[in-house]
Amino acid sequence: MSMVKVEDVHKQFGDLQVLKGINFEVNPKEVVCIIGPSGSGKSTMLRCINRLERITSGKIYVEDELTENRMNGKTVEKIDPQKLANLCLDIGMVFQNFNLFPHLTVLENVTIGPTVVKKENAKITEEHAMELLEKVGMADRKDEYPARLSGGQQQRVAIARALAMNPKVMLFDEPTSALDPELVGEVLQTMKELAQEGMTMIIVTHEIGFAREVADRVIFMDDGVICEEGRPQDILLNPKEDRTKEFLNKIL
């Protein structure tokens, strides 16, 4: 079983083609890092997987179940709404800018999803939330509001919030790009621990060292297409495509 499968996915915003026929597959417990220049379609691809954006054409599967089948902006095959909702709950996402609720405490940010969306028992949800905050090193800040936290602390809370929904796959959209350099390490360490525990992860990142260390596979995207993919040591140390070489030469 594949956890996520993308088949010939295209995405247009008006006349702008952002994704131009994307194909890839992610297996359970696999960590895939997507790299590439800004504007190459990386973040759009993640947003399409969890349906924050609707694809223009193509198919997307989650746990081998079809979640999208569209052609020229129109749905080809309708999916049962309840089945689709359940599949979407299996996808957790961590955004570039944290997106915590400013009027809720750290603990309330982590518990709100399971209690409101999944109707889970409040006491059990709070116990689970505290376990997750302990995991990300934020249990002692449970009663703080996001404005009183550093960027790195907010991002670790955002990771705990996503994990509180018990997802089967986690999507990370450049989770360290909004952080001061000295705060990047604490977030990357949390993500490394998730990878070691076997969480399936798709990570859009500019942290090449992190990708080399943690990823099972690296995908290089440019101009809406996948130019090259393979093992980190192959893509990052010995790329075959000139565009990949050019990109890595600029950032390494």
Side-chain angles (χ1 to χ4, degrees):
M1 182 187 78
S2 63
M3 190 59 72
V4 174
K5 187 176 182 181
V6 173
E7 287 186 358
D8 195 27
V9 164
H10 293 71
K11 174 63 181 176
Q12 287 182 234
F13 293 100
D15 294 331
L16 179 64
Q17 279 195 312
V18 179
L19 301 174
K20 305 173 183 177
I22 299 292
N23 293 276
F24 70 89
E25 195 168 341
V26 180
N27 296 316
K29 299 187 177 182
E30 188 176 22
V31 178
V32 174
C33 285
I34 304 177
I35 64 172
S38 297
S40 57
K42 308 182 301 297
S43 295
T44 299
M45 186 66 258
L46 285 194
R47 294 173 66 85
C48 288
I49 290 172
N50 75 347
R51 292 173 61 87
L52 289 176
E53 298 285 355
R54 302 297 301 276
I55 62 176
T56 304
S57 297
K59 296 179 182 179
I60 297 178
Y61 298 82
V62 175
E63 300 174 71
D64 282 345
E65 297 282 354
L66 187 68
T67 62
E68 284 274 43
N69 183 3
R70 288 165 66 82
M71 180 65 67
N72 297 325
K74 296 182 179 179
T75 298
V76 174
E77 187 174 347
K78 290 187 177 180
I79 317 297
D80 175 71
Q82 188 57 55
K83 181 180 179 181
L84 184 58
N86 290 337
L87 288 168
C88 287
L89 287 177
D90 286 338
I91 305 171
M93 185 154 181
V94 176
F95 299 88
Q96 186 173 342
N97 292 311
F98 328 133
N99 289 1
L100 297 178
F101 296 111
H103 63 293
L104 300 181
T105 66
V106 164
L107 182 59
E108 289 167 342
N109 263 283
V110 178
T111 58
I112 189 171
T115 53
V116 174
V117 178
K118 299 179 82 172
K119 311 297 183 186
E120 292 181 355
N121 177 275
K123 186 174 185 298
I124 294 174
T125 297
E126 184 168 320
E127 290 173 356
H128 185 218
M130 286 305 300
E131 290 172 3
L132 292 171
L133 288 172
E134 190 73 45
K135 178 197 287 280
V136 301
M138 291 298 296
D140 62 331
R141 309 302 294 273
K142 66 183 180 67
D143 296 321
E144 297 282 7
Y145 288 89
R148 293 177 58 86
L149 303 177
S150 70
Q153 290 171 329
Q154 289 189 59
Q155 194 61 293
R156 283 185 283 152
V157 174
I159 292 172
R161 181 180 63 178
L163 291 173
M165 299 293 284
N166 292 313
K168 295 182 180 177
V169 57
M170 286 280 285
L171 311 179
F172 291 86
D173 185 10
E174 299 190 29
T176 61
S177 63
L179 302 179
D180 292 332
E182 67 268 23
L183 302 177
V184 168
E186 62 191 48
V187 173
L188 294 182
Q189 182 57 39
T190 298
M191 294 169 65
K192 287 177 187 177
E193 291 167 5
L194 285 178
Q196 290 163 1
E197 292 168 7
M199 174 61 74
T200 308
M201 301 162 73
I202 307 175
I203 306 165
V204 171
T205 184
H206 291 298
E207 301 290 341
I208 300 302
F210 171 80
R212 185 186 300 127
E213 181 180 350
V214 175
D216 297 300
R217 186 154 43 100
V218 172
I219 293 173
F220 173 70
M221 283 183 65
D222 186 35
D223 195 28
V225 299
I226 293 177
C227 300
E228 191 168 359
E229 66 176 297
R231 299 181 306 167
Q233 56 265 44
D234 295 330
I235 301 301
L236 301 176
L237 300 179
N238 190 29
K240 294 182 174 61
E241 299 296 325
D242 289 340
R243 185 64 189 91
T244 315
K245 294 176 184 176
E246 179 186 348
F247 172 76
L248 290 171
N249 284 338
K250 286 180 179 178
I251 65 171
L252 292 179

